[in-house]
Amino acid sequence: MGFDLSEFYEIYGHDLEVEARQEQQRFQQRLLGWVQTWNNTLCSLYDTAVNHVRALAPEDWPLADLVPQVVLYWSLAGAQEGNQWNRTLTCGDGEMVSRQYSKPYPPLLYTLMAHRAFPATFDAAAQSIVQGGAPLFYREGALRSGVCGTFWQKLVPHLPPYRPYQMWPQPLETLLRTLTQCYGIFSGQDTTAVYEDARKTFQALWSTLSLRQPDRARAEDAIRRWDFSQMENAPRDLLIAAYPEVFQTWDKETLENTWEAEILQRIYPADPDLAIAMWRLLLDTAQEPLQKNPEAAEYLLFDVIDGVLWPGSPSRKDHLLPLLNQLEQSEPFARQVFQSAYAGKPQARLLEACDTLQKDALKKHCLALLAENPAWAQSQNH
């Protein structure tokens, strides 16, 4: 037999209804406060991400325009992978008090998208969470498990060349932590593993693109100033940037451990004209150091080319003929080699090759150039 509660409700029903409504109001206030608090945090993170991208790439406004997509992707990925999107909060307890259910994360996302500009609607963003595939803007913002979105690929050229032992630029470190926080807010999970995976993935991208796609303008500037403090492999990087097709089949480890002299030595036997063109590019770029800096001139005229002038394995008698032919054909090239701030063994080696290959007129001309070069007279005295 059931209990007859009619008398109980007649006496206390009004009070219960009042209490239930008050509890619902308190619940709504708590929910609203939670949404507002985290929305303020997310808006601050959004602004931080935009500002730090602008600090890294101040003139690349299209890159900064991608930041909303990246922030939204990380937020949606957190909501999807943390299984928080359908999480339900319950208001009320006991049979006498009505209950209210609410999902706090949808209103949080809705509020964020209302307070900051995003290139998507709330409905589209929410649908990408529940449909089970990749969230919106995966192609732009992904940075995990070896997958790098287009935003990150476009960011690398604005960074200094990667060095394993260097500190990351502070805006880059902050940007990555900011996005990880967005992920954490929507996932409700610890983000340590997510951050470490993203950092490792970006590091691999940064190191690869620094090697495969070096900044040619930056390399040229370093060589012209003969200052390699910010780009220690500038001569090698200039060759890679100028002749990318040559290095397409070279593996990363080989490129990392190869310097410009080894490049010329490796290429010259099969394609001497290409190797000479590479050498001349370095000489043309370093015009001022070549004329005014004896150490720079010695490096460019001796260290860089010694593997060609003195190959380790036996070579043909006419091994240096392509080089002599270009010296004959180009007066500027001949002056670079024989009238720079360094003269010594390389020039003597070329004169010897002129004798071997019966290039008497070229030898006479080169000797005339050397006669006007104080560095040659100094080397002969020594």
Side-chain angles (χ1 to χ4, degrees), residues 208-224:
T208 298
L209 293 186
S210 293
L211 186 62
R212 296 278 183 189
Q213 301 176 21
D215 188 326
R216 178 168 181 170
R218 186 178 290 176
E220 290 174 337
D221 179 65
I223 294 171
R224 291 190 186 103

Side-chain angles (χ1 to χ4, degrees), residues 65-83:
D65 289 341
L66 288 177
V67 174
Q69 301 176 30
V70 177
V71 171
L72 186 57
Y73 163 75
W74 282 72
S75 301
L76 299 180
Q80 185 182 72
E81 296 169 16
N83 295 318

Side-chain angles (χ1 to χ4, degrees), residues 67-348:
V67 174
Q69 301 176 30
V70 177
V71 171
L72 186 57
Y73 163 75
W74 282 72
S75 301
L76 299 180
Q80 185 182 72
E81 296 169 16
N83 295 318
Q84 293 285 76
W85 188 250
N86 291 317
R87 177 185 174 189
T88 301
L89 298 182
T90 305
C91 166
D93 189 21
E95 293 294 332
M96 302 305 173
V97 181
S98 61
R99 291 174 178 166
Q100 184 173 356
Y101 302 94
S102 180
K103 298 178 180 178
Y105 285 90
L108 175 59
L109 179 63
Y110 183 88
T111 306
L112 172 64
M113 297 185 72
H115 284 79
R116 290 295 183 270
F118 290 97
T121 64
F122 169 77
D123 289 341
Q127 182 63 29
S128 77
I129 295 174
V130 300
Q131 68 184 4
L136 281 180
F137 305 119
Y138 170 83
R139 291 183 178 180
E140 291 79 7
L143 188 66
R144 57 194 316 173
S145 303
V147 177
C148 300
T150 55
F151 168 82
W152 302 102
Q153 297 175 38
K154 293 177 180 180
L155 178 62
V156 170
H158 296 285
L159 303 176
Y162 175 77
R163 296 178 184 174
Y165 48 83
Q166 74 180 359
M167 296 287 290
W168 284 28
Q170 185 271 331
L172 175 61
E173 191 77 64
T174 302
L175 173 64
L176 201 55
R177 292 192 179 278
T178 296
L179 295 172
T180 306
Q181 285 180 269
C182 293
Y183 178 97
I185 290 172
F186 278 96
S187 71
Q189 297 176 348
D190 179 77
T191 59
T192 302
V194 173
Y195 169 78
E196 292 299 333
D197 180 45
R199 200 178 195 280
K200 181 179 179 181
T201 300
F202 184 76
Q203 181 174 293
L205 173 71
W206 186 8
S207 63
T208 298
L209 293 186
S210 293
L211 186 62
R212 296 278 183 189
Q213 301 176 21
D215 188 326
R216 178 168 181 170
R218 186 178 290 176
E220 290 174 337
D221 179 65
I223 294 171
R224 291 190 186 103
R225 294 183 293 104
W226 207 251
D227 178 1
F228 305 130
S229 58
Q230 298 300 314
M231 197 172 192
E232 61 184 351
N233 296 308
R236 180 203 67 186
D237 290 346
L238 175 58
L239 297 183
I240 295 174
Y243 300 94
E245 69 284 354
V246 174
F247 303 98
Q248 286 179 350
T249 59
W250 293 35
D251 62 75
K252 181 181 177 183
E253 184 177 358
T254 299
L255 275 180
E256 285 179 330
N257 296 302
T258 300
W259 61 303
E260 50 277 10
E262 294 170 321
I263 291 174
L264 298 186
Q265 183 178 8
R266 177 173 173 174
I267 291 176
Y268 187 88
D271 194 341
D273 289 339
L274 174 59
I276 295 169
M278 289 180 166
W279 185 35
R280 293 185 64 175
L281 174 62
L282 296 177
L283 298 180
D284 291 342
T285 306
Q287 281 286 10
E288 186 170 342
L290 194 61
Q291 298 299 321
K292 298 182 179 180
N293 184 336
E295 290 185 1
E298 181 177 1
Y299 181 80
L300 291 164
L301 296 173
F302 192 169
D303 297 297
V304 169
I305 201 67
D306 75 334
V308 172
L309 297 179
W310 294 278
S313 57
S315 59
R316 295 168 44 178
K317 179 181 178 181
D318 62 351
H319 173 70
L320 293 178
L321 181 59
L323 182 52
L324 298 184
N325 288 340
Q326 292 209 27
L327 288 170
E328 279 183 318
Q329 296 164 9
S330 174
E331 180 66 12
F333 182 35
R335 289 185 177 277
Q336 284 177 330
V337 175
F338 289 93
Q339 285 196 326
S340 294
Y342 168 79
K345 290 182 179 180
Q347 289 80 4

